Amino acid sequence: MHVLVTGGAGFIGSRIVDELLTAGHDVRVLDALLPAAHRVPPAGPPPGVEMVTADVRDRDAVDGALRGIDAVCHQAAMVGLGKDFSDAPDYVGCNDLGTAVLLAAMAGRGVRRLALAGSMVVYGEGRYACAEHGVVRPGPRSVEALTAGRFEPPCPHCGAALSPGLVTEDAPVDPRSVYAATKLTQEHLAAAWARDTGGSAVSLRYHNVYGPGMPRDTPYAGVASLFRSALERGEAPKVFEDGGQRRDFVHVADVAAANAVALAAPAPGGELRAYNVGSGTPHTIGEMAAALAARHGGLAPVVTGGFRLGDVRHITASSAAIRAELGWTSRIGFADGMAEFATAPLRAASAARPGPRPGVRVS
């Protein structure tokens, strides 16, 4: 296949490019190379890869980049919780308008295969069970509870403690930030495109992606990058809440492999299929911070008790569906992945408020 990778110069996108080349595909990259995402201009693309430097919202550029393309791997996005709600126009413009421009151009060019970078943030909180009421959906945590250090969401019916579990793709969606809302909108747009054109669309709902080449020193990065950046500066990683938040940390190489598998597998037309992409093995944020600090040889993490209202307590993945249907499974375990990441080079990224940024994806 001849595949267009949007955001293909970024953290995840560049690894997908390498994976697709290894699988024997021809690859073209579309990336705006904005300074906010690439303070230091990246090295040129791998041999044989055509580079189109343009914003995904540029209709003419996107249309031209789709010439001769069989499938699109859409990674370009602005990610993370951002600083405050003033970022909302940038998120919506890049993530949703950009996706709409891309899909419209694909419809016009007859490109009928899409792999979309989705995110676990569409779920809100993960899966919880109450001993009395079974599976329940706790609402957003209150400022009062968080300030008092009551971080675990209680049962919405009886107030009892809940047991967190693995979320599956059929869980109700509950986006709780602007970023989360734009990621869900991307899926809705892709589903509408698939129904209208008969195309096949797969949304890979990434869980917490980490690995070499993550951006450093930016408020738009995820927690793995923030901890690793602190260690590189000689500082202790600062852990919010009590460090007991459960996440699913998945290595960027595994995420790249999931994209290659999704593009190559037979897929029904006219619909969007969503898959969780995670390791399937939960770890706490405190465990991750401790593992990075120990392997890096830096200061031990500091648990601050602080919080962000946009954060959820526990969100961990069941990746059983993608394993059963596409044959993908993560191969890099937590210990080995964190040992590598603890000393791997990071990518320079601006700490200033950016415009839309392609190619950086960490939840």
Side-chain angles (χ1 to χ4, degrees):
M1 283 190 296
H2 198 163
V3 183
L4 176 68
V5 181
T6 70
F11 166 48
I12 295 177
S14 60
R15 293 297 289 262
I16 292 172
V17 169
D18 292 340
E19 186 75 20
L20 292 173
L21 291 173
T22 299
H25 300 295
D26 296 317
V27 179
R28 181 180 298 152
V29 167
L30 185 145
D31 199 307
L33 298 182
L34 296 176
H38 301 276
R39 180 188 297 173
V40 177
V49 173
E50 180 185 356
M51 178 76 188
V52 178
T53 304
D55 194 297
V56 73
R57 295 168 297 177
D58 184 331
R59 298 187 183 199
D60 291 339
V62 170
D63 181 68
L66 286 168
R67 289 191 183 97
I69 291 295
D70 303 307
V72 173
C73 187
H74 185 30
Q75 305 297 310
M78 183 175 175
V79 304
L81 287 179
K83 292 182 178 179
D84 53 46
F85 202 82
S86 65
D87 286 326
D90 286 339
Y91 276 102
V92 174
C94 184
N95 297 359
D96 296 338
L97 176 58
T99 298
V101 168
L102 173 67
L103 293 172
M106 290 173 64
R109 285 281 178 185
V111 182
R112 297 291 183 262
R113 195 169 186 90
L114 172 71
L116 171 68
S119 176
M120 54 81 177
V121 295
V122 301
Y123 297 117
E125 288 284 355
R127 185 182 187 277
Y128 292 86
C130 171
E132 180 177 353
H133 296 99
V135 175
V136 297
R137 296 182 62 200
R141 297 177 295 171
S142 69
V143 174
E144 293 75 18
L146 292 168
T147 301
R150 298 194 303 273
F151 301 123
E152 295 289 344
C155 175
H157 305 295
C158 65
L162 299 174
S163 300
L166 302 181
V167 66
T168 53
E169 291 85 352
D170 58 356
V173 292
D174 184 18
R176 297 185 179 182
S177 67
V178 170
Y179 171 57
T182 65
K183 296 308 291 182
L184 184 56
T185 298
Q186 283 185 309
E187 290 194 359
H188 290 324
L189 289 168
W193 166 85
R195 286 191 297 269
D196 188 72
T197 65
S200 64
V202 173
S203 178
L204 300 174
R205 290 175 175 172
Y206 304 158
H207 283 247
N208 288 68
V209 187
Y210 72 96
M214 288 189 81
R216 68 168 179 261
D217 297 327
T218 167
Y220 293 84
V223 67
S225 176
L226 296 177
F227 290 167
R228 179 66 178 76
S229 297
L231 290 166
E232 192 163 289
R233 295 192 302 270
E235 302 171 3
K238 293 182 173 58
V239 180
F240 279 6
E241 301 185 18
D242 60 359
Q245 309 94 304
R246 288 159 55 102
R247 296 291 187 269
D248 188 317
F249 300 102
V250 58
H251 195 279
V252 64
D254 286 330
V255 170
N259 277 271
V261 167
L263 286 171
E271 65 182 55
L272 177 138
R273 181 70 168 95
Y275 294 105
N276 288 330
V277 176
S279 72
T281 305
H283 290 274
T284 69
I285 287 178
E287 287 173 342
M288 181 191 66
L292 287 177
R295 289 290 189 167
H296 188 273
L299 296 173
V302 174
V303 177
T304 68
F307 60 86
R308 298 187 301 182
L309 277 179
D311 286 339
V312 297
R313 180 62 176 174
H314 304 298
I315 176 69
T316 53
S318 168
S319 296
I322 191 172
R323 182 169 59 250
E325 296 179 23
L326 302 186
W328 174 89
T329 187
S330 66
R331 299 187 179 278
I332 300 177
F334 180 81
D336 290 341
M338 289 298 162
E340 175 202 34
F341 181 51
T343 57
L346 300 179
R347 180 163 54 86
S350 173
R353 181 175 180 268
R357 307 182 308 148
V360 181
R361 189 162 318 280
V362 183
S363 300

